[in-house]
């Protein structure tokens, strides 16, 4: 399997500095990052490590869930996955840490009932590579079929 890369160029200190993160493997973009905007309610056009983790987790989870639905005998028609990643203080080690991830998935699936879908959804939460990488963070799941 290939290795994927991103690169960040940072200038200045934590509070007065800023940077740009470049998705170098795909070349799809370069995005501004800033700690004050990372910690603010309004990101104001910048991304953050938490948003990038959320993007990675939602995409990985959707892929894993689609595979597990098929293994269970279903056919995924559409999956809508949202990942909410929360940053908070690390009371034990100081600084900050990811304090939780909420995965919300709504699916349109042929051939599986609600119980079968939720079982596949739980297995995907545990089995997707990004979930495995984030075992130190509490990951919760809200899964339901639509339609």
């Amino acid at each position: 399997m290939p290795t994927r890369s991103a690169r960040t160029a940072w200038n200045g200190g934590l509070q007065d500095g800023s940077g740009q993160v470049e998705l170098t493997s795909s070349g799809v973009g370069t995005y501004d990052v800033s700690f004050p905007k990372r910690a603010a309610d309004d990101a104001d056009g910048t991304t953050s490590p938490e948003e990038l983790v959320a993007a990675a987790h939602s995409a990985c989870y959707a892929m894993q869930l689609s595979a597990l639905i098929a293994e269970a005998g279903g056919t995924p028609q559409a999956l809508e996955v949202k990942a909410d990643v929360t940053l908070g203080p690390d009371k034990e080690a100081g600084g900050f840490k990811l304090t939780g991830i909420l995965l919300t998935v709504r699916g349109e699936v042929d051939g599986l009932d609600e119980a079968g879908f939720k079982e596949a959804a739980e297995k995907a939460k545990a089995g997707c590579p990004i979930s495995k990488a984030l075992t130190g963070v509490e990951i919760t799941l809200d899964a339901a079929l639509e339609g």
Side-chain angles (χ1 to χ4, degrees), residues 5-138:
S5 301
R7 181 185 74 79
T8 298
W10 185 267
N11 295 300
L14 179 63
Q15 294 296 332
D16 65 347
S18 63
Q20 291 190 316
V21 60
E22 173 188 12
L23 305 181
T24 53
S25 297
S26 63
V28 297
T30 300
Y31 305 94
D32 293 334
V33 290
S34 152
F35 183 78
K37 291 180 182 178
R38 176 185 186 186
D41 287 333
D42 181 6
D44 193 31
T46 66
T47 192
S48 67
E50 294 72 37
E51 184 176 41
L52 296 169
V53 167
H57 204 177
S58 66
C60 182
Y61 179 84
M63 291 178 200
Q64 184 73 34
L65 180 55
S66 68
L68 291 173
I69 288 169
E71 284 181 18
T75 304
Q77 298 301 320
L79 298 172
E80 177 83 23
V81 179
K82 181 181 176 194
D84 294 307
V85 176
T86 304
L87 179 70
D90 186 340
K91 294 178 176 132
E92 295 171 13
F96 297 95
K97 69 176 186 174
L98 300 185
T99 57
I101 299 172
L102 170 61
L103 292 172
T104 303
V105 59
R106 297 296 179 260
E108 294 177 30
V109 176
D110 295 334
L112 284 184
D113 62 9
E114 186 83 17
F117 178 73
K118 286 186 175 186
E119 182 179 343
E122 285 290 343
K123 286 181 181 176
K125 181 183 86 150
C128 102
I130 299 298
S131 290
K132 290 177 181 179
L134 297 170
T135 56
V137 181
E138 181 182 359

